[in-house]
Amino acid sequence: MAGLGKIARRGFLVGAATVAGGFAIGIYSLRQPYVSPLADDLPPGMAALTPHVLIDRGGITLITPRADMGQGATSIQAALIAEELDVALDAVRTDPGPPAPAYYNARIVAEGLPFAATDEGWMAEAAREAGGWASKLMALQITGGSSTVPDAYDRLRHAGAAARAILVTAAARRLGVAEDTLTTGDGAVIAPDGTRLSYVELAPAAGRLLEPREVRLKDPAEWRLLGRPMRRIDIVAKSTGLQRYGIDQALPGMLFAAVRTNPRRGGGVVAMDASAAEAMKGVVRVVPLPGGAGVLADSTWRAFEAVRAIRFDWGPAPYPATTGALFESIAAALDEDARDSRLKDEGDIEAALADGADVEADYRVPFLAHAPLEPMTALAWFRNGQLEVRAGTQIPGFAAKTARRLSGLSRDGVLLRALPMGGSFGRRLEDDFIDQAVRLAWAAEGRPVKLTWSREEDMTHDFPRPAAIARGRGRVAEGRVAALDLSIAAPSVSESQMGRLGFNALGADTAIVAGAWDQPFAIPAYRVTGYRAAETVPVSSWRSVGASANGFFHESLLDELIHEAGADPLAERLRLCSHAPSARVLEAVGEMSGWGGALGPGRGRGLAFTLSFGVPCAEVVEVTATDRGIRIDRVFVAAEVGRVLDPVNFENQVQGGVVWGLSHAIWSELTYADGRPEQENFDTYPAMRLPACPEIVVRGLETTDTIRGIGEPPVPPAAPALANAIFAATGQRVRELPLAKSVRFA
Amino acid sequence: MKLTVNGTEHDLDVDPEMPLLWVLRDILGLTGTKYGCGIGQCGACTVHLGGRAVQSCQVAAGDVDAPVTTIEGLGTPAAPHPVQAAWIETQVAQCGYCQSGQIMAAAALLAEVPAPSQNQIDDALAGNLCRCGTYPRIRAAVRLAADKLREG
Ligand code: FES
Ligand code: FES
């Protein structure tokens, strides 16, 4: 019935299973950084293979479990498989995968694990132990941290290659020829005489041949798909209005829901009067929810109108009520008692600064909302003792667990479909809206319920990027940077977010200093210290997480020191740089931008560099000080990612990351008054629009062996490169974001 | 009330106050038109009303006095409108959520100004937010669409 391929590198095993009319190839994952809270409720002996290739009578399905929030994850995952399987991308279906972990019933592990360990030398015994785990761990299915590509790169190609190998074996037996006389292409095995046996017709025989085997991956020189511009598989649907997101789900008899809860998260409800809402036409029911209420109605609009008509008496926020008080709480953490980490401590910084500092500066960045253009939505439906949930989520495994906890249903009773997302940027790493949808569906007694958050609900109930404060000091000597001491205080994203997911975040939170402590510069005295501010507003991961703030702190301070030393920002960074790939991106961006060339009056260039998520990324921003304010003319970006798998998507992601970084650096902040965010919609939370968007020139470097994702790394250098450019053009040094508080933009 | 959408006339019993956006999405099931803000700030809900680009969240159903075209009526995968074809060729979309609105705004612009300057393009699409930051590709796609339309 089942077999496993012989691959155990980098913490994964290829597995196979017979299905009706064919077979499935997938991956068991054995190594994950932490223990899953889901491990508790998987029955003993139950395990699931996460399939990536399914070939049966219905055709070829590539299963791409990493959710697509716009970063092209579905396409790139499919391409990794298709490359090795030798199928065209337009000849396959893609599917986000099993809606429940037990979908591909997996007595597979119980039946034995015919595998041989290779380069990591695992014992079969250990793997059998781990086998039960594997599926539980796969249920984590977290999409985030620019991890999709690095994580998938080996696994998915191996899955595709293993499927191809099995099909070749089946064809060789049928034709009575040696395997090495056969080739593959376009979904078929091709015999020396040109006979084509399609994968689908070979699938039933192949399904009886699942045995351990060696597979060979293609040399990148043999690639037909990867490394070239690909047409994203969702591009037609997304250009014709046919892509269906969570907000577009529709089922017969469906009710439309909206919610309103206390915008002081955790403040609760003291009293509520829903009589006006209940009396409104089209309203089916008002449902009390933790912290507020929801309305079930006959259209989203009526549900929006009705929740607005509920009168609430909210409780106070369980945290400081104003922006000022929140920043005071962060500033108070710049103290030895709150020291969280000191991961960089080179040379003798105390001695270097004993006679005072040449540069001393405080920086700060605000709370920020994710505000993906599709607000939070989820559909939930109880019927026949089962619960179906459909939602755009980066954490389907956790969301399913939430649904099980609320419904009391078993693993088999909950079906979760993860849908394409209209943006996320980290917001859908939370499942609060799914929790609400399940509660509303329970009250709907068998009718499906689609919950849509209004923009106002979305923006006032985000888990924002935390505000942060940094204190920088440094010395220069003989035209060089001699000492850099950076102290950063921020609330801990890990503590807040992991706590909600059921993890204990132990030890230091590197997110407080990520993008600052880990930079590849050899400064004679160099120290970065993280201070943990008290948890106040619940916070979470926001595109590029800690580096989104720390890139600004580090690169602003370094730039100030370089100017103080009278050095050139590019030359001095290159002189200090201790990491060859990072030096190469700095050189590349210098060359692309014509660094050093004259720009003319009122113009300036700023450079910033951040290594984050393993990717060195350097950006040069060119600005002009016009009489209407600062205009950004051009941005140059160089990043090292090992391999650019899809040049079009790469460029799009980098440009998007730069727009994201600049947009928030210039305009955005969430401020608090009376315990609640003051911004409710895009009129008060502005973002970059087409007229302000500069030309963005991108270059991907491929000089290292390690493949990396590019969703997040372009974000951190954007804000400091812009601030440094404004300094170059005007002499004004801005140390606080958003910049528009201090500088006028054209 | 009577409403003509994508060439089909509908006789609907809806609250005349209901914004056209929600009539399209929740009553007619035309979900290509998106909700992003509800206050005329994001452009995700852009449709054509008598050929003009309007934000459908800002038009009450009772005030609709001309035929409506949505992204579904502009073109299809088999027969895309030249603007959609340019969007596909340029691979503009990331999450794609804003793109119906962007395409509708661009199509209305090009119907009026066949060879727009960059400033005209920027102004015509300034009401359409893209949180994913696809702006460089949007500009390129509008220019490509203009070329396609001129070539006929
Ligand atoms: S939903 Fe209409 S402009 Fe945003
Ligand atoms: S493509 Fe995501 S909002 Fe524009």
Side-chain angles (χ1 to χ4, degrees), chain A residues 99 128 134 158 183 199 249 270 375 400 410 489 496 581 588 650 666 687 729 744:
Chain A
R128 203 162 286 122
H158 274 104
T183 59
Y199 289 172
Q249 298 303 303
V270 176
S410 72
S496 189
F650 177 83
I666 298 169
R744 202 153 70 96

PDB file of all heavy atoms in Angstrom, chain A residues 99 128 134 158 183 199 249 270 375 400 410 489 496 581 588 650 666 687 729 744:
ATOM      1  N   PRO A  99      -7.583  19.599   3.494  1.00  0.00           N
ATOM      2  CA  PRO A  99      -8.226  20.534   4.403  1.00  0.00           C
ATOM      3  C   PRO A  99      -8.123  20.085   5.855  1.00  0.00           C
ATOM      4  O   PRO A  99      -8.283  20.883   6.748  1.00  0.00           O
ATOM      5  CB  PRO A  99      -9.673  20.562   3.944  1.00  0.00           C
ATOM      6  CG  PRO A  99      -9.863  19.330   3.142  1.00  0.00           C
ATOM      7  CD  PRO A  99      -8.536  18.929   2.605  1.00  0.00           C
ATOM      8  N   ARG A 128      10.869   6.160  13.028  1.00  0.00           N
ATOM      9  CA  ARG A 128       9.556   5.573  13.285  1.00  0.00           C
ATOM     10  C   ARG A 128       8.899   6.329  14.433  1.00  0.00           C
ATOM     11  O   ARG A 128       7.734   6.670  14.384  1.00  0.00           O
ATOM     12  CB  ARG A 128       9.719   4.080  13.617  1.00  0.00           C
ATOM     13  CG  ARG A 128       8.468   3.285  13.363  1.00  0.00           C
ATOM     14  CD  ARG A 128       8.751   1.789  13.267  1.00  0.00           C
ATOM     15  NE  ARG A 128       9.383   1.413  12.030  1.00  0.00           N
ATOM     16  CZ  ARG A 128      10.559   0.789  11.928  1.00  0.00           C
ATOM     17  NH1 ARG A 128      11.229   0.454  13.011  1.00  0.00           N
ATOM     18  NH2 ARG A 128      11.050   0.475  10.765  1.00  0.00           N
ATOM     19  N   ALA A 134       5.527  13.532  12.436  1.00  0.00           N
ATOM     20  CA  ALA A 134       5.735  14.291  11.218  1.00  0.00           C
ATOM     21  C   ALA A 134       4.465  15.011  10.813  1.00  0.00           C
ATOM     22  O   ALA A 134       4.465  16.208  10.556  1.00  0.00           O
ATOM     23  CB  ALA A 134       6.184  13.352  10.114  1.00  0.00           C
ATOM     24  N   HIS A 158      12.312  17.300  -4.800  1.00  0.00           N
ATOM     25  CA  HIS A 158      12.436  15.861  -4.545  1.00  0.00           C
ATOM     26  C   HIS A 158      11.106  15.137  -4.751  1.00  0.00           C
ATOM     27  O   HIS A 158      11.072  14.031  -5.280  1.00  0.00           O
ATOM     28  CB  HIS A 158      12.947  15.614  -3.126  1.00  0.00           C
ATOM     29  CG  HIS A 158      14.439  15.653  -3.036  1.00  0.00           C
ATOM     30  ND1 HIS A 158      15.126  16.719  -2.521  1.00  0.00           N
ATOM     31  CD2 HIS A 158      15.372  14.752  -3.440  1.00  0.00           C
ATOM     32  CE1 HIS A 158      16.432  16.476  -2.593  1.00  0.00           C
ATOM     33  NE2 HIS A 158      16.612  15.299  -3.146  1.00  0.00           N
ATOM     34  N   THR A 183      12.830   8.746 -21.627  1.00  0.00           N
ATOM     35  CA  THR A 183      12.899  10.154 -21.222  1.00  0.00           C
ATOM     36  C   THR A 183      11.491  10.606 -20.834  1.00  0.00           C
ATOM     37  O   THR A 183      10.519   9.852 -21.017  1.00  0.00           O
ATOM     38  CB  THR A 183      13.409  11.059 -22.362  1.00  0.00           C
ATOM     39  OG1 THR A 183      12.511  10.916 -23.474  1.00  0.00           O
ATOM     40  CG2 THR A 183      14.818  10.672 -22.783  1.00  0.00           C
ATOM     41  N   TYR A 199       1.385  10.167 -18.061  1.00  0.00           N
ATOM     42  CA  TYR A 199       1.490   9.900 -16.619  1.00  0.00           C
ATOM     43  C   TYR A 199       0.170   9.359 -16.075  1.00  0.00           C
ATOM     44  O   TYR A 199       0.153   8.467 -15.238  1.00  0.00           O
ATOM     45  CB  TYR A 199       1.861  11.179 -15.859  1.00  0.00           C
ATOM     46  CG  TYR A 199       3.279  11.670 -16.056  1.00  0.00           C
ATOM     47  CD1 TYR A 199       3.668  12.904 -15.547  1.00  0.00           C
ATOM     48  CD2 TYR A 199       4.235  10.903 -16.725  1.00  0.00           C
ATOM     49  CE1 TYR A 199       4.960  13.378 -15.694  1.00  0.00           C
ATOM     50  CE2 TYR A 199       5.533  11.373 -16.886  1.00  0.00           C
ATOM     51  CZ  TYR A 199       5.893  12.613 -16.380  1.00  0.00           C
ATOM     52  OH  TYR A 199       7.161  13.094 -16.524  1.00  0.00           O
ATOM     53  N   GLN A 249     -16.533  34.055  -0.915  1.00  0.00           N
ATOM     54  CA  GLN A 249     -17.173  32.757  -0.758  1.00  0.00           C
ATOM     55  C   GLN A 249     -18.694  32.920  -0.737  1.00  0.00           C
ATOM     56  O   GLN A 249     -19.213  33.909  -0.202  1.00  0.00           O
ATOM     57  CB  GLN A 249     -16.714  32.076   0.547  1.00  0.00           C
ATOM     58  CG  GLN A 249     -15.213  31.799   0.571  1.00  0.00           C
ATOM     59  CD  GLN A 249     -14.772  30.944  -0.601  1.00  0.00           C
ATOM     60  OE1 GLN A 249     -15.270  29.849  -0.807  1.00  0.00           O
ATOM     61  NE2 GLN A 249     -13.829  31.441  -1.397  1.00  0.00           N
ATOM     62  N   VAL A 270     -19.130  46.164  29.002  1.00  0.00           N
ATOM     63  CA  VAL A 270     -19.820  46.386  30.268  1.00  0.00           C
ATOM     64  C   VAL A 270     -21.325  46.188  30.063  1.00  0.00           C
ATOM     65  O   VAL A 270     -22.001  45.520  30.834  1.00  0.00           O
ATOM     66  CB  VAL A 270     -19.530  47.810  30.803  1.00  0.00           C
ATOM     67  CG1 VAL A 270     -20.325  48.070  32.077  1.00  0.00           C
ATOM     68  CG2 VAL A 270     -18.028  47.977  31.043  1.00  0.00           C
ATOM     69  N   PRO A 375     -10.052  42.884   3.881  1.00  0.00           N
ATOM     70  CA  PRO A 375     -10.112  42.826   5.343  1.00  0.00           C
ATOM     71  C   PRO A 375     -10.272  41.373   5.808  1.00  0.00           C
ATOM     72  O   PRO A 375     -10.431  40.465   4.995  1.00  0.00           O
ATOM     73  CB  PRO A 375     -11.358  43.655   5.664  1.00  0.00           C
ATOM     74  CG  PRO A 375     -12.196  43.586   4.436  1.00  0.00           C
ATOM     75  CD  PRO A 375     -11.250  43.464   3.280  1.00  0.00           C
ATOM     76  N   ALA A 400      -7.471  25.521  12.457  1.00  0.00           N
ATOM     77  CA  ALA A 400      -8.298  24.319  12.589  1.00  0.00           C
ATOM     78  C   ALA A 400      -8.376  23.903  14.055  1.00  0.00           C
ATOM     79  O   ALA A 400      -9.417  23.447  14.540  1.00  0.00           O
ATOM     80  CB  ALA A 400      -7.727  23.180  11.746  1.00  0.00           C
ATOM     81  N   SER A 410     -14.004  16.637  16.659  1.00  0.00           N
ATOM     82  CA  SER A 410     -12.728  15.935  16.559  1.00  0.00           C
ATOM     83  C   SER A 410     -11.987  16.416  15.324  1.00  0.00           C
ATOM     84  O   SER A 410     -12.496  17.187  14.517  1.00  0.00           O
ATOM     85  CB  SER A 410     -12.986  14.443  16.425  1.00  0.00           C
ATOM     86  OG  SER A 410     -13.509  14.226  15.133  1.00  0.00           O
ATOM     87  N   ALA A 489      14.635  49.424  22.499  1.00  0.00           N
ATOM     88  CA  ALA A 489      13.572  48.973  23.402  1.00  0.00           C
ATOM     89  C   ALA A 489      12.280  48.809  22.620  1.00  0.00           C
ATOM     90  O   ALA A 489      11.887  49.703  21.866  1.00  0.00           O
ATOM     91  CB  ALA A 489      13.372  49.971  24.527  1.00  0.00           C
ATOM     92  N   SER A 496       4.080  38.118  22.665  1.00  0.00           N
ATOM     93  CA  SER A 496       2.673  38.423  22.443  1.00  0.00           C
ATOM     94  C   SER A 496       2.038  37.402  21.497  1.00  0.00           C
ATOM     95  O   SER A 496       1.007  36.794  21.784  1.00  0.00           O
ATOM     96  CB  SER A 496       2.560  39.836  21.870  1.00  0.00           C
ATOM     97  OG  SER A 496       1.224  40.268  21.816  1.00  0.00           O
ATOM     98  N   PRO A 581      29.290  38.358   0.357  1.00  0.00           N
ATOM     99  CA  PRO A 581      28.042  38.569  -0.396  1.00  0.00           C
ATOM    100  C   PRO A 581      27.418  39.929  -0.099  1.00  0.00           C
ATOM    101  O   PRO A 581      26.831  40.555  -0.991  1.00  0.00           O
ATOM    102  CB  PRO A 581      27.133  37.427   0.098  1.00  0.00           C
ATOM    103  CG  PRO A 581      28.071  36.390   0.613  1.00  0.00           C
ATOM    104  CD  PRO A 581      29.243  37.140   1.176  1.00  0.00           C
ATOM    105  N   ALA A 588      27.090  46.410  -6.018  1.00  0.00           N
ATOM    106  CA  ALA A 588      26.117  46.384  -7.116  1.00  0.00           C
ATOM    107  C   ALA A 588      25.219  47.616  -7.070  1.00  0.00           C
ATOM    108  O   ALA A 588      24.972  48.267  -8.097  1.00  0.00           O
ATOM    109  CB  ALA A 588      25.270  45.109  -7.039  1.00  0.00           C
ATOM    110  N   PHE A 650      10.199  37.878  -8.778  1.00  0.00           N
ATOM    111  CA  PHE A 650      11.265  38.437  -7.945  1.00  0.00           C
ATOM    112  C   PHE A 650      11.220  39.965  -7.994  1.00  0.00           C
ATOM    113  O   PHE A 650      11.197  40.642  -6.981  1.00  0.00           O
ATOM    114  CB  PHE A 650      12.621  37.917  -8.428  1.00  0.00           C
ATOM    115  CG  PHE A 650      13.796  38.485  -7.682  1.00  0.00           C
ATOM    116  CD1 PHE A 650      14.195  37.935  -6.476  1.00  0.00           C
ATOM    117  CD2 PHE A 650      14.501  39.571  -8.180  1.00  0.00           C
ATOM    118  CE1 PHE A 650      15.273  38.459  -5.772  1.00  0.00           C
ATOM    119  CE2 PHE A 650      15.576  40.104  -7.486  1.00  0.00           C
ATOM    120  CZ  PHE A 650      15.963  39.543  -6.278  1.00  0.00           C
ATOM    121  N   ILE A 666       6.938  57.064   5.243  1.00  0.00           N
ATOM    122  CA  ILE A 666       6.525  58.443   5.002  1.00  0.00           C
ATOM    123  C   ILE A 666       5.253  58.792   5.772  1.00  0.00           C
ATOM    124  O   ILE A 666       5.178  59.829   6.427  1.00  0.00           O
ATOM    125  CB  ILE A 666       6.284  58.679   3.492  1.00  0.00           C
ATOM    126  CG1 ILE A 666       7.586  58.449   2.714  1.00  0.00           C
ATOM    127  CG2 ILE A 666       5.770  60.105   3.257  1.00  0.00           C
ATOM    128  CD1 ILE A 666       7.394  58.403   1.194  1.00  0.00           C
ATOM    129  N   ALA A 687      -1.476  55.684   2.517  1.00  0.00           N
ATOM    130  CA  ALA A 687      -0.463  54.791   1.956  1.00  0.00           C
ATOM    131  C   ALA A 687      -0.026  55.348   0.614  1.00  0.00           C
ATOM    132  O   ALA A 687      -0.684  56.217   0.046  1.00  0.00           O
ATOM    133  CB  ALA A 687      -1.043  53.396   1.779  1.00  0.00           C
ATOM    134  N   ALA A 729      19.976  65.643   0.704  1.00  0.00           N
ATOM    135  CA  ALA A 729      19.416  66.703  -0.136  1.00  0.00           C
ATOM    136  C   ALA A 729      19.194  67.997   0.632  1.00  0.00           C
ATOM    137  O   ALA A 729      19.288  69.080   0.063  1.00  0.00           O
ATOM    138  CB  ALA A 729      18.097  66.229  -0.749  1.00  0.00           C
ATOM    139  N   ARG A 744       7.911  67.809   4.496  1.00  0.00           N
ATOM    140  CA  ARG A 744       6.792  67.866   3.558  1.00  0.00           C
ATOM    141  C   ARG A 744       7.137  67.028   2.327  1.00  0.00           C
ATOM    142  O   ARG A 744       8.272  67.079   1.834  1.00  0.00           O
ATOM    143  CB  ARG A 744       6.539  69.309   3.143  1.00  0.00           C
ATOM    144  CG  ARG A 744       5.135  69.535   2.629  1.00  0.00           C
ATOM    145  CD  ARG A 744       4.734  70.987   2.879  1.00  0.00           C
ATOM    146  NE  ARG A 744       5.492  71.878   2.000  1.00  0.00           N
ATOM    147  CZ  ARG A 744       5.025  72.334   0.833  1.00  0.00           C
ATOM    148  NH1 ARG A 744       3.828  72.001   0.424  1.00  0.00           N
ATOM    149  NH2 ARG A 744       5.752  73.131   0.089  1.00  0.00           N
TER     150      ARG A 744
END
